[in-house]
Amino acid sequence: MDNVIDISNNALDFIKQRGGIVTIRLSPRHSCCGGLTNVAVAEARYPDAPQHYQRHMQDSISIYIAPDLAAQGLRIDVEGWWKLRRLYVDGAALSAG
Amino acid sequence: MTTQNTSSPTSADMGLFERYLSVWVAIAIVAGIALGQFAPAVPDTLSRFEYAQVSLPIAVLIWAMIFPMMAQIDFSAIAGVRRQPKGLTITTTVNWLIKPFTMFALAWLFFMVIFRPFIPEELASQYLAGAILLGAAPCTAMVFVWSYLTRGDAAYTLVQVALNDLIMLFAFAPLVVFLLGISNIQVPWDTVILSVVLYIVIPLAAGYFTRKILIAKRGAQWYDSVFMKRVGPITPIGLIITLVLLFAFQGEVILNNPLHIVLIAIPLIIQTFLIFFIAYGWAKAWRVPHNIAAPGAMIGASNFFELAVAAAIALFGLQSGAALATVVGVLVEVPLMLALVRIANKTRHHFPTEAH
């Protein structure tokens, strides 16, 4: 696969409407009993610490992606309606924190 | 598109605390009983801090247990409900239309009939009430660990947690009142409403608004990596302190009836396997992919035990058999769920592997 991540057309439009930047990162989820798992999430915004991400240009948008998630065959799509529209990362397994 | 790992994670990938949860709970039981027996002034003093029959130290500990979990629920994930309709149909039906009733039926059969010679009737009713509380709330946080260990689909796991938590907000109290009612265990509606408001609505609203406000102000990455990093570990600390206190009050019950812990565990263990196999078998019949089937079956098999413990304390008191029964749920949770993880991983080849 040439692309660092697969992005659907709907997600591309969504990202472009919000400035043309997307951050793909691991979001930690604390369990009730002390452990951590990480969920891949995508946000149409600039990352807090860009130095921790790989930067790519793809389909006229800037992609900031956590190195662990790049070129893994993941796909970004958009779901929901009106104010609830959001990006999601498809095909990612959970990982240990 | 497939998930990137080919080998299954093992229990060794879990955190030390969660992997040995049963051990910590057992230590908390011993420490609590010792506290109650050798320093009774501590629980006696704490029991004086009450307002409107709500123990304030316990309320604070319960909020400490529940708030961090509520603060990390991403309700916007609800937007994904249309993506895996089969998986969500199975998990929602099993969690809300089957699980509470099988738990009630099993607990009634064992506590009121089979174990009748071993458990006094009044205590048996209390254990039944505790089991009902455990059966009425599916897992919220540990399901991410079970999903990880079975290579579950992360996006689906997020959606099912958000959906079940939303349903729980409205369904928990009516289900509990209904099942307690047909068990002839009378609990005043106002007490139930108070406990739901105190231990579900307030932490959930506080978590929701904390998340919304802080993400708007500081961003989602700061929220995840700074705020939740500090707040997340409070849950297990709150859980263990609550258990120590609970057993400081429960000491006499345990010392007089040590066998009861084993008796309580039996229907809880059967229920865990039964609910897992109902959801998992249904998913197999519907040809649901394994990375949806496994987390879909795990969420119902596992319980939101913090909520069950909190509700049992609120409705029946710290010294109640109901509170003891909910703690036995905590005690057996991890070994049972790890057994189910092994079953799910060994039967992966019976399911379609693609989720997309």
Side-chain angles (χ1 to χ4, degrees), chain A residues 35-77:
Chain A
L36 258 186
T37 45
N38 291 312
V39 182
V41 295
E43 292 143 355
R45 52 166 288 164
Y46 194 73
D48 287 353
Q51 68 274 19
H52 295 141
Y53 293 82
Q54 291 179 5
R55 182 170 184 243
H56 301 268
M57 286 300 291
Q58 185 178 312
D59 301 315
S60 308
I61 61 169
S62 292
I63 299 173
Y64 289 87
I65 187 164
D68 290 350
L69 296 172
Q72 296 285 342
L74 306 183
R75 177 180 170 83
I76 297 180
D77 209 337

Side-chain angles (χ1 to χ4, degrees), chain A residues 30-35 37, chain B residues 14 18-19 21 69 72 139-148 298 302-303 305-306 333-334 337:
Chain A
H30 294 259
S31 98
C32 53
C33 309
T37 45
Chain B
M14 295 170 75
E18 61 198 343
R19 193 167 11 139
L21 180 64
M69 285 191 288
Q72 69 176 353
C139 180
T140 288
M142 281 291 270
V143 69
F144 285 101
V145 176
W146 312 133
S147 182
Y148 160 63
M298 293 287 175
S302 182
N303 300 312
F305 47 71
E306 285 85 354
E333 166 102 357
V334 171
M337 293 307 294

Side-chain angles (χ1 to χ4, degrees), chain B residues 11-89:
Chain B
S11 61
D13 294 313
M14 295 170 75
L16 188 71
F17 190 89
E18 61 198 343
R19 193 167 11 139
Y20 297 109
L21 180 64
S22 300
V23 176
W24 313 132
V25 172
I27 291 171
I29 291 174
V30 174
I33 292 172
L35 184 70
Q37 297 296 307
F38 300 116
V42 176
D44 286 350
T45 307
L46 288 173
S47 64
R48 285 189 205 126
F49 294 98
E50 263 193 12
Y51 181 76
Q53 291 185 308
V54 173
S55 163
L56 296 179
I58 292 296
V60 169
L61 283 170
I62 288 171
W63 284 327
M65 278 196 297
I66 295 180
F67 170 76
M69 285 191 288
M70 297 299 192
Q72 69 176 353
I73 297 170
D74 180 6
F75 281 107
S76 69
I78 282 285
V81 289
R82 287 188 302 182
R83 245 186 305 135
Q84 295 292 344
K86 282 186 180 177
L88 288 174
T89 301

Side-chain angles (χ1 to χ4, degrees), chain B residues 41-249:
Chain B
V42 176
D44 286 350
T45 307
L46 288 173
S47 64
R48 285 189 205 126
F49 294 98
E50 263 193 12
Y51 181 76
Q53 291 185 308
V54 173
S55 163
L56 296 179
I58 292 296
V60 169
L61 283 170
I62 288 171
W63 284 327
M65 278 196 297
I66 295 180
F67 170 76
M69 285 191 288
M70 297 299 192
Q72 69 176 353
I73 297 170
D74 180 6
F75 281 107
S76 69
I78 282 285
V81 289
R82 287 188 302 182
R83 245 186 305 135
Q84 295 292 344
K86 282 186 180 177
L88 288 174
T89 301
I90 293 168
T91 191
T92 309
T93 307
V94 170
N95 286 344
W96 299 105
L97 298 179
I98 297 175
K99 176 184 171 168
F101 301 94
T102 53
M103 184 73 265
F104 162 75
L106 279 169
W108 185 86
L109 177 68
F110 277 89
F111 297 141
M112 310 306 279
V113 181
I114 298 173
F115 296 154
R116 191 69 183 262
F118 311 108
I119 305 175
E121 192 175 347
E122 197 179 327
L123 209 46
S125 292
Q126 290 273 311
Y127 296 161
L128 174 60
I132 287 170
L133 292 169
L134 277 170
C139 180
T140 288
M142 281 291 270
V143 69
F144 285 101
V145 176
W146 312 133
S147 182
Y148 160 63
L149 292 175
T150 53
R151 280 194 278 138
D153 182 284
Y156 170 75
T157 308
L158 275 174
V159 175
Q160 73 168 11
V161 166
L163 181 64
N164 276 294
D165 284 343
L166 206 59
I167 295 172
M168 184 174 66
L169 193 59
F170 302 101
F172 181 77
L175 264 175
V176 165
V177 169
F178 173 70
L179 291 173
L180 290 178
I182 58 175
S183 312
N184 283 325
I185 302 167
Q186 301 304 324
V187 182
W189 256 104
D190 55 349
T191 312
V192 177
I193 298 292
L194 179 67
S195 66
V196 168
V197 169
L198 275 178
Y199 302 125
I200 301 182
V201 177
I202 290 177
L204 195 126
Y208 175 78
F209 287 112
T210 302
R211 182 180 178 89
K212 202 167 170 59
I213 292 166
L214 287 181
I215 286 179
K217 215 170 178 176
R218 305 293 298 266
Q221 291 163 66
W222 178 90
Y223 187 82
D224 282 347
S225 59
V226 179
F227 180 75
M228 282 311 303
K229 194 175 175 184
R230 287 180 194 153
V231 170
I234 294 172
T235 294
I237 296 168
L239 174 66
I240 289 299
I241 298 174
T242 304
L243 294 186
V244 170
L245 273 185
L246 196 144
F247 281 96
F249 287 94

